[in-house]
Amino acid sequence: MFFNLFSPKKKTLLHPLADPEALERAIGLLPLDDAFKSVDKAIKWINSLDQFDDFDAESRFAIVRRIDDAIQPHLFKLSRHYLTSRRLSKSEEKRLWTISYDCWDMLARAYESCLQLVQKEMEASQGRMEENVAHHLPLLLTRLVRSLGAILCWTLYRYMPLPNEIWPRLGRAYLFAETNHCSNRKLQCYPGFPGLSTVRDEYLRVLVFHASSVDGLMPFQMALADYALRYLLPHFVFAAETAQVCAYWIDVDKPMPPTRLVNPETPSPTLRLIGAGEVPSALGDLAEALEAGNVPPGFPHGGEFTAQMLLPVVEHLSLYWSAQPPLREHLRHPIRARASVLNGFDDSFTVFAGNLARMGKERAAESWVVENASLGGFGAMIENFHGDWLKVGALLSIHPEGSEGWMLGVIRRLTKLSEEQTTVGIQMLGRLAKSIELMPSVRSYESGSNIPGIRLDSAEAAGEIRVVLPAGTFRTGEKFEYMQDGYRFLLSPLDFSEREGGGDFEIGRYRQESLDKME
């Protein structure tokens, strides 16, 4: 096809896709059953526009907009596959991530090129904007900011540092919308996707997403957080001046992310404040609905996710958008020590049952470098990791060099510095954990159906304990018995202390009663 015949040199001829009929024929040839191929073709088409210098702002935007419309359903399929597939190979995961990231990056650059043409035409006409261009400007800017926000999301899905230029690019687009009085113009961003949006909404959504510490969630939970924040967006405060208490600020004209309002910035025309407003109350209502098993009407893509999947994400957001967002609980101290690390519930149960040496599990341990420590956990550097289990929410057994024994922890933060280096933040669950065998107090199971558990040494309240269980074990109303040091104990379920979505474990909270001493 003629789309493959573009020369790398600039052309003075019209681009083939500048003909609306040719553009529609090309879009009609996109394979409906192959999202990857359709998106790949679209990337090449839009990139080919840079080889032609005969576009005005309106004609270039018309092409980019139409191709963007056509590939959004395909992009949605790719992202859903990436986020919800349980067992993707590393190569397939990277393939899906790369095509999705590259497409959003391409769209952002394409809309920025359109905006540059708008600005160039305005300069040539002494600040006047053509009527047709002014009509399309709110949609152009809304899609630009959404594309930049998608770049941020896809970067965080792989726990990589954000590109330094993302904040000034977002700021320039938003300030241009404000200057031209179209930042609050409501419109449908994409045909076929419900809901109205504005440039302001898209910009604020990126800011609150970043401020919500979503790097402590798994990728599919980050996507759920994005949907939840879109649902909650009307309740946030975002203004140059406000009488309400605000937790964050940003200078739109500076290359910086939203920052905690510890020391307020010197006032400037581009300073904006971000506050929770009515979000805590709205989050409480949302959590109440989810606990009852209901996803509220109007929740974005609510049919895609269950209330049980959404609830831990809402709990996370409630923590970070409360009246007092959390500060670091314990000071970190720099250290430098090797640590042996085992992964998963099964290996951890073996460790805390005292069977590690007998089963030869030490040979399977990873060796990580612990770089800092606090009362709450560790920060570690991992080099040349080749497994596929390293993710937020992974259960770990850790034995730092020189310590007396193993500790139980879970990965809370993960940042990929490069293909060879990854840093993780590990929260300690217990230093004196103990493996136990749980026996259902009412025998409705065959003999030998005891359930493995790891009893944590830390309790949330007197008479209560937490137990790490295999995923899917905790059930309201199901009591267990276990024996330890010659004593028998009864555990009555209270609720989840923690839900680990997509992991191999969960943590249940129980009331513990001592029964008769065993002879």
Side-chain angles (χ1 to χ4, degrees):
M1 291 179 62
F2 57 79
F3 304 117
N4 297 320
L5 301 178
F6 298 135
S7 162
K9 297 180 180 179
K10 290 279 186 177
K11 298 291 185 181
T12 56
L13 301 175
L14 284 175
H15 190 287
L17 296 181
D19 176 11
E21 292 184 1
L23 177 60
E24 290 304 318
R25 285 196 300 270
I27 288 173
L29 293 174
L30 290 174
L32 297 177
D33 58 348
D34 193 332
F36 189 96
K37 185 179 291 186
S38 293
V39 172
D40 187 53
K41 278 183 177 290
I43 290 174
K44 292 173 181 174
W45 291 349
I46 294 184
N47 282 337
S48 74
L49 300 180
D50 292 336
Q51 299 169 25
F52 291 73
D53 54 9
D54 52 0
F55 288 106
D56 58 23
E58 185 179 2
S59 60
R60 186 177 181 115
F61 176 66
I63 297 173
V64 175
R65 172 187 178 178
R66 184 66 189 93
I67 296 174
D68 189 9
D69 287 346
I71 61 172
Q72 281 303 312
H74 298 291
L75 269 178
F76 182 73
K77 288 179 184 177
L78 292 175
S79 66
R80 184 171 57 186
H81 186 37
Y82 179 87
L83 293 166
T84 62
S85 296
R86 286 296 189 117
R87 283 294 179 184
L88 288 175
S89 66
K90 289 191 74 173
S91 60
E92 179 66 6
E93 180 186 0
K94 187 172 183 179
R95 178 173 177 264
L96 287 169
W97 183 90
T98 300
I99 190 73
S100 300
Y101 180 93
D102 286 352
C103 187
W104 284 113
D105 181 58
M106 173 271 298
L107 287 170
R109 286 187 290 105
Y111 286 124
E112 283 174 326
S113 295
C114 295
L115 183 59
Q116 288 166 6
L117 287 173
V118 171
Q119 294 170 313
K120 185 177 180 180
E121 291 170 6
M122 289 178 66
E123 289 173 4
S125 59
Q126 299 180 334
R128 187 175 61 84
M129 189 183 301
E130 293 291 336
E131 186 176 343
N132 285 345
V133 173
H135 174 74
H136 293 304
L137 186 63
L139 180 61
L140 189 164
L141 291 167
T142 301
R143 289 197 180 185
L144 169 55
V145 176
R146 180 171 289 196
S147 299
L148 291 168
I151 292 173
L152 182 143
C153 287
W154 281 93
T155 303
L156 291 177
Y157 289 164
R158 294 201 76 193
Y159 303 101
M160 297 189 301
L162 292 175
N164 290 331
E165 72 275 8
I166 196 73
W167 299 110
R169 291 171 73 186
L170 282 161
R172 284 193 295 270
Y174 178 70
L175 282 178
F176 193 83
E178 271 200 347
T179 303
N180 289 276
H181 312 291
C182 64
S183 61
N184 288 309
R185 189 83 55 83
K186 285 196 172 294
L187 50 83
Q188 186 176 23
C189 195
Y190 287 102
F193 288 82
L196 302 178
S197 189
T198 67
V199 182
R200 176 189 180 279
D201 288 345
E202 295 297 327
Y203 184 54
L204 178 57
R205 181 176 155 203
V206 177
L207 299 181
V208 297
F209 182 78
H210 182 270
S212 298
S213 295
V214 294
D215 56 345
L217 301 172
M218 284 171 283
F220 87 92
Q221 291 178 316
M222 293 185 198
L224 294 182
D226 189 29
Y227 292 139
L229 290 168
R230 193 188 311 176
Y231 176 77
L232 296 164
L233 211 56
H235 301 287
F236 282 95
V237 173
F238 182 59
E241 296 179 2
T242 175
Q244 299 187 41
V245 176
C246 291
Y248 294 90
W249 62 272
I250 187 168
D251 193 322
V252 182
D253 200 32
K254 292 184 178 179
M256 57 176 294
T259 303
R260 286 288 291 269
L261 201 63
V262 178
N263 295 308
E265 180 77 345
T266 303
S268 78
T270 52
L271 183 70
R272 300 292 181 272
L273 301 175
I274 308 160
E278 299 299 320
V279 171
S281 176
L283 278 166
D285 293 341
L286 180 55
E288 187 176 338
L290 295 174
E291 285 169 354
N294 302 316
V295 178
F299 193 93
H301 300 295
E304 299 264 331
F305 311 109
T306 66
Q308 187 177 10
M309 293 165 65
L310 285 163
L311 189 55
V313 175
V314 169
E315 290 170 349
H316 173 91
L317 295 176
S318 297
L319 180 65
Y320 284 91
W321 291 103
S322 64
Q324 294 292 330
L327 297 172
R328 185 174 298 282
E329 189 175 356
H330 304 293
L331 292 176
R332 290 182 180 180
H333 303 284
I335 62 173
R336 189 81 177 176
R338 285 276 173 188
S340 298
V341 179
L342 288 166
N343 160 59
F345 179 85
D346 291 343
D347 281 356
S348 295
F349 182 81
T350 301
V351 166
F352 294 103
N355 295 329
L356 187 63
R358 180 170 62 82
M359 299 187 70
K361 288 287 187 180
E362 306 102 311
R363 292 190 296 274
E366 296 277 340
S367 180
W368 294 357
V369 177
V370 176
E371 296 190 316
N372 57 71
S374 72
L375 291 176
F378 303 107
M381 171 69 73
I382 309 165
E383 296 187 348
N384 300 313
F385 183 84
H386 299 296
D388 60 358
W389 58 262
L390 191 65
K391 60 185 179 181
V392 170
L395 187 69
L396 306 176
S397 296
I398 307 140
H399 185 203
E401 217 171 48
S403 67
E404 294 183 1
W406 289 78
M407 306 173 190
L408 191 66
V410 62
I411 296 177
R412 295 300 188 199
R413 304 280 180 199
L414 188 152
T415 303
K416 292 184 179 178
L417 303 179
S418 67
E419 289 297 323
E420 293 78 31
Q421 288 189 321
T422 303
T423 62
V424 294
I426 304 164
Q427 178 192 1
M428 300 314 303
L429 296 178
R431 299 172 186 271
L432 298 172
K434 181 71 175 177
S435 293
I436 56 178
E437 293 280 350
L438 300 170
M439 301 167 287
S441 60
V442 177
R443 279 289 179 177
S444 58
Y445 302 87
E446 297 177 3
S447 60
S449 62
N450 291 350
I451 296 170
I454 306 173
R455 184 188 190 279
L456 299 178
D457 53 298
S458 57
E460 295 187 359
E464 296 180 8
I465 67 166
R466 293 184 300 153
V467 181
V468 183
L469 303 162
T473 301
F474 183 91
R475 293 180 180 86
T476 303
E478 184 173 27
K479 298 182 179 182
F480 291 111
E481 296 179 15
Y482 77 95
M483 291 183 294
Q484 186 175 343
D485 300 327
Y487 287 85
R488 198 156 51 102
F489 297 92
L490 176 67
L491 299 180
S492 302
L494 295 172
D495 59 25
F496 279 104
S497 173
E498 185 161 345
R499 301 172 177 87
E500 290 299 333
D504 68 345
F505 76 101
E506 59 195 23
I507 303 176
R509 188 165 62 91
Y510 293 86
R511 179 175 293 107
Q512 177 174 272
E513 300 173 56
S514 178
L515 301 176
D516 295 337
K517 182 176 180 180
M518 302 297 293
E519 296 297 335

